Amino acid sequence: MADGSGRVFVITGPSGVGKGTLIGKLLKRVPELELSTSATTRSPREGERDGRDYHFLGTAEFERRVEAGDFLEHAIYAGNRYGTLREEVERRLRAGRSLVLEIEVQGGRQVRSAMPEAVLIFIAPPEPAALRARLEGRATDSEAEIAKRLRTAELELEAQPEFSHVVVNDDVQKAAAELERLVREQLSLQ
Ligand code: ADP
Ligand code: 5GP
């Protein structure tokens, strides 16, 4: 909150719960928000573009930037590294802009420690079995990758009580409306 007006929203929750879907709707409905582009060592999926979907970094470059203190938070997820570059956050806050970080749970905890004023929102599935169905339906990951993500999801679901705001993504329109209401309230927007 460099000049006191920009806010940081962390949106977390297990893979396949619908974070990306809900954030896409949120960004259209609340133009005051910008999405931080994370760095990762994962390979790009079909259609993903460097600098837009992620900053795709090699492992050595990612590690160099960890050593340089360039990350606000970083974590290992399903065998790959992910992190939020400080510059992504700081340049927006300096300009008085609010932003969304779409990150997993370990990163969410680190942001909570580093920026206690950040708003942390956990997106939960209506029931755990929905995650497999949604990841299979999305069809972007191999069966082995889905299995890894579902194992991680069990731990992530246990972390839900650590987050002060929880939005259950059952009906996507209802969840999007609830997320929008929550964000507008925090930004003191109508
Ligand atoms: P995440 O970003 O959390 O990994 P995605 O937004 O990619 O999840 O959603 C995973 C899949 O589930 C996508 O195919 C998406 O269209 C679908 N999906 C999202 N929300 C719902 C919902 N409420 N009900 C059913 N399917 C959903
Ligand atoms: P995916 O490979 O599906 O794009 O992302 C896998 C997981 O990494 C998701 O839970 C996503 O939210 C998380 N993730 C994406 N970017 C970051 C980041 O910068 N930091 C952390 N900690 N997690 C991230």
Side-chain angles (χ1 to χ4, degrees):
M1 232 180 276
D3 72 357
S5 59
R7 310 234 31 203
V8 175
F9 293 89
V10 171
I11 299 194
T12 194
S15 188
V17 76
K19 299 183 295 297
T21 304
L22 292 175
I23 290 170
K25 294 182 186 298
L26 181 68
L27 294 174
K28 286 198 189 121
R29 296 175 186 194
V30 186
E32 288 82 358
L33 285 177
E34 294 179 8
L35 181 63
S36 164
T37 303
S38 294
T40 184
T41 61
R42 148 165 102 55
S43 305
R45 293 184 182 127
E46 213 179 304
E48 284 185 333
R49 221 173 55 211
D50 187 39
R52 183 191 65 184
D53 301 288
Y54 278 105
H55 301 290
F56 291 101
L57 304 181
T59 304
E61 175 66 358
F62 195 103
E63 278 167 9
R64 188 191 67 72
R65 300 202 69 171
V66 169
E67 290 303 313
D70 288 352
F71 286 104
L72 172 65
E73 62 75 32
H74 59 93
I76 296 178
Y77 177 92
N80 290 302
R81 305 194 69 166
Y82 294 82
T84 304
L85 292 163
R86 288 184 193 282
E87 185 53 24
E88 285 278 325
V89 176
E90 287 170 1
R91 72 182 156 84
R92 292 186 171 97
L93 293 181
R94 276 196 301 271
R97 305 283 301 166
S98 291
L99 71 151
V100 173
L101 308 182
E102 194 235 290
I103 64 180
E104 52 68 75
V105 164
Q106 304 164 74
R109 291 190 182 113
Q110 293 170 47
V111 176
R112 186 174 48 207
S113 303
M115 303 183 116
E117 69 282 10
V119 181
L120 277 82
I121 304 169
F122 189 94
I123 311 292
E127 69 275 316
L131 298 176
R132 172 178 287 282
R134 290 182 190 178
L135 286 173
E136 287 177 353
R138 189 172 73 184
T140 53
D141 299 289
S142 65
E143 183 49 44
E145 184 65 28
I146 289 175
K148 260 194 253 175
R149 284 164 184 256
L150 291 175
R151 276 198 299 277
T152 306
E154 286 180 29
L155 292 174
E156 294 187 307
L157 289 173
E158 286 173 15
Q160 181 176 321
E162 293 175 35
F163 293 87
S164 42
H165 303 283
V166 176
V167 172
V168 178
N169 184 20
D170 189 353
D171 177 273
V172 72
Q173 298 304 342
K174 278 194 193 145
E178 189 181 339
L179 184 60
E180 179 185 358
R181 185 196 53 71
L182 175 57
V183 167
R184 284 186 176 277
E185 186 178 281
Q186 296 290 330
L187 291 175
S188 305
L189 296 171
Q190 288 298 309

